Amino acid sequence: MTDTKETGASAPVIGKLSTLDRFLPVWIGVAMVAGLLLGRWIPGLNTALESVQVDGISLPIALGLLIMMYPVLAKVRYDRLDTVTGDRKLLLSSLFLNWVFGPALMFALAWLMLPDLPEYRTGLIIVGLARCIAMVIIWNDLACGDREAAAVLVALNSIFQVIMFAVLGWFYLSVLPGWLGLEQTTISTSPWQIAKSVLIFLGIPLLAGYLSRRLGEKAKGRDGYESKFLPRIGPWALYGLLFTIVILFALQGEQITTRPLDVVRIALPLLAYFAIMWGGGYLLGAGIGLGYQRTTTLAFTAAGNNFELAIAVAIATYGATSGQALAGVVGPLIEVPVLVALVYVSLALRRRFRDGNTTAPTTVSPSTTTQES
C-alpha cells in the first residue's frame, strides 16, 4: 500500500483507501458476530477468557488494546505536542465536554429512559464517568484527526480520570439523586484501580510509541522512519482492534444473546449519548474555529468511553452477572458500529472545512497514513 496525497479539500476518499480500510465496517461486523457466536456456542469460553487475568486486568483485552494503540502512538510527532498544549480553546472545550457535559448528559438520559431499571441505569451512569483513553485513539486516526491533539487530550483525560472518577461517581450516584429525591447508590473503586487501568492501557503503548519515534528517527531520520517503518506497523492497529472486539464480545456473548430486550433498552440511551456527544463536540469545535483535524479529535474524544474501566468497576461493586455489568458490556456493542459510522460521516464533512490553524491530512489510508506539518 502506498500513500496518496490529496489535491484538494474535496478529493475522493473511498477510492484511495486500502482494501483493509475500505471494508473496515465489514471486518468489524464480522468480528462482532464472531465474538458473540463464540461466546454463545463454545461452553466455558467466557469463563476461560475471564480466568486469563492478572490483578483484575484481562490479559487478552490488554494485549488487543496494546497492539491496537501502539502503531497509532508511534505515528505521533512528539516534538509538536507544544502546539496542542498551547491551544486553550481545544483543552478547555475537551475538559468541559468530558468532565462536565458528558457525565451530566448520561445521568439525564439514564434516568429519563430507564426510570424502571435501576441496575441498568446505574451501569450507564458509570459508563458516562469513564472517559475514553484507549479505543478513541484509533477512531481519531481513522477519521484523519490530529494525532498530537489526541495524545494530549487522552493524557489529560487520564489524569482527570484518576482524580475525578470516584468523586463524580459519589456525586452522580448518591449526592445528586438525593437532592432530586431519587434512588441513591454507591460504587466501590480506588484511585489505584483507576491508575492501574490508565498505566496499562495508555502508559505502555504511549511509552512504546514515544521510544519508537525517538529511536527510529535517530537511526533512519524522520523521512525514513515515516516512509518505511510506519507503513509496516500501520495495519496492526486494525488487527488489534478486530482482535479486541472479538474478545470483548466473546466474554459476554451469552448474556447479550439471551437478553435481547434488555440490550435494546440499554442501547437507546447509549445511541442518544454518542450522537449528542459527537455532534456537540463537532459543533463546538467548528464554532470556535479549531479546523477539521482538531474538531474531529475533540468530537471523538468526547464521544468515546473507557468501557474496560466501567465494566471492571461494575463487576467489583455489583458482581459479574449484575445488570450494572451488563450495561457496561452493551457499551462497546453500540459504540463500535456507531463510531465507525461517524468516522465516515467525519470524512464526508472534511470538505466543508477550510482549516486555519491546522493542516489537512496528506493521506487517506488510516492504516498506513502519515501526517505532514
Side-chain angles (χ1 to χ4, degrees):
M1 289 179 285
T2 58
D3 290 340
T4 306
K5 295 188 177 182
E6 287 186 339
T7 57
S10 60
V13 174
I14 299 299
K16 298 178 181 179
L17 292 175
S18 68
T19 301
L20 178 64
D21 299 320
R22 190 180 305 122
F23 295 102
L24 178 61
V26 176
W27 311 140
I28 288 178
V30 170
M32 292 169 63
V33 172
L36 290 173
L37 294 179
L38 288 172
R40 185 73 176 89
W41 288 350
I42 300 180
L45 177 61
N46 58 340
T47 303
L49 289 173
E50 287 172 353
S51 66
V52 186
Q53 59 177 263
V54 174
D55 198 17
I57 299 294
S58 169
L59 293 184
I61 292 177
L63 176 64
L65 289 174
L66 296 181
I67 294 173
M68 177 187 75
M69 293 177 65
Y70 164 67
V72 181
L73 291 171
K75 296 175 184 176
V76 172
R77 289 182 173 178
Y78 293 92
D79 56 354
R80 292 181 53 193
L81 293 185
D82 59 334
T83 67
V84 181
T85 56
D87 191 341
R88 292 188 178 182
K89 291 190 295 184
L90 174 67
L91 299 182
L92 293 176
S93 297
S94 179
L95 287 175
F96 169 76
L97 288 172
N98 277 285
W99 296 103
V100 179
F101 184 67
L105 175 63
M106 188 67 91
F107 175 86
L109 290 172
W111 273 100
L112 287 172
M113 304 181 76
L114 300 173
D116 56 329
L117 298 171
E119 290 189 357
Y120 298 154
R121 183 177 65 235
T122 298
L124 286 182
I125 292 172
I126 293 173
V127 167
L129 301 175
R131 312 313 302 169
C132 195
I133 62 170
M135 205 169 282
V136 70
I137 293 285
I138 199 165
W139 304 138
N140 176 75
D141 205 53
L142 289 168
C144 297
D146 188 316
R147 292 192 187 112
E148 288 72 32
V152 170
L153 295 186
V154 165
L156 190 64
N157 272 348
S158 301
I159 295 170
F160 269 77
Q161 197 150 258
V162 174
I163 299 171
M164 297 300 298
F165 184 89
V167 175
L168 290 176
W170 167 72
F171 178 76
Y172 280 106
L173 294 175
S174 181
V175 176
L176 185 56
W179 290 350
L180 300 175
L182 303 172
E183 182 181 350
Q184 298 169 278
T185 185
T186 58
I187 58 173
S188 175
T189 188
S190 68
W192 165 240
Q193 181 182 10
I194 301 166
K196 180 175 61 177
S197 173
V198 169
L199 288 172
I200 292 173
F201 294 124
L202 176 62
I204 293 175
L206 184 60
L207 178 62
Y210 174 77
L211 291 177
S212 293
R213 168 68 71 171
R214 289 295 301 272
L215 297 176
E217 286 191 357
K218 187 175 181 180
K220 300 182 177 182
R222 174 161 290 185
D223 289 342
Y225 176 80
E226 294 187 346
S227 64
K228 296 179 180 179
F229 179 72
L230 290 184
R232 292 178 183 175
I233 65 170
W236 282 94
L238 300 186
Y239 300 153
L241 171 65
L242 297 177
F243 176 79
T244 304
I245 290 171
V246 171
I247 297 298
L248 279 172
F249 284 69
L251 279 168
Q252 301 294 336
E254 185 173 358
Q255 278 205 71
I256 293 172
T257 55
T258 56
R259 301 160 76 175
L261 294 180
D262 289 352
V263 170
V264 171
R265 288 291 305 273
I266 297 168
L268 293 176
L270 282 169
L271 285 170
Y273 172 83
F274 292 133
I276 294 171
M277 290 298 294
W278 188 89
Y282 230 90
L283 289 174
L284 178 58
I288 62 178
L290 291 182
Y292 173 78
Q293 288 182 273
R294 291 188 177 176
T295 293
T296 298
T297 301
L298 179 66
F300 279 99
T301 52
N305 290 85
N306 186 351
F307 289 105
E308 300 79 27
L309 176 60
I311 293 169
V313 170
I315 290 175
T317 305
Y318 306 103
T321 59
S322 65
Q324 291 88 343
L326 178 61
V329 168
V330 174
L333 175 71
I334 307 303
E335 183 189 81
V336 169
V338 168
L339 292 192
V340 168
L342 290 175
V343 165
Y344 285 88
V345 173
S346 185
L347 290 171
L349 290 173
R350 180 169 52 177
R351 69 192 63 186
R352 296 180 177 272
F353 280 79
R354 294 293 184 269
D355 285 356
N357 61 340
T358 56
T359 57
T362 60
T363 62
V364 294
S365 178
S367 63
T368 59
T369 183
T370 59
Q371 291 172 328
E372 296 182 5
S373 55

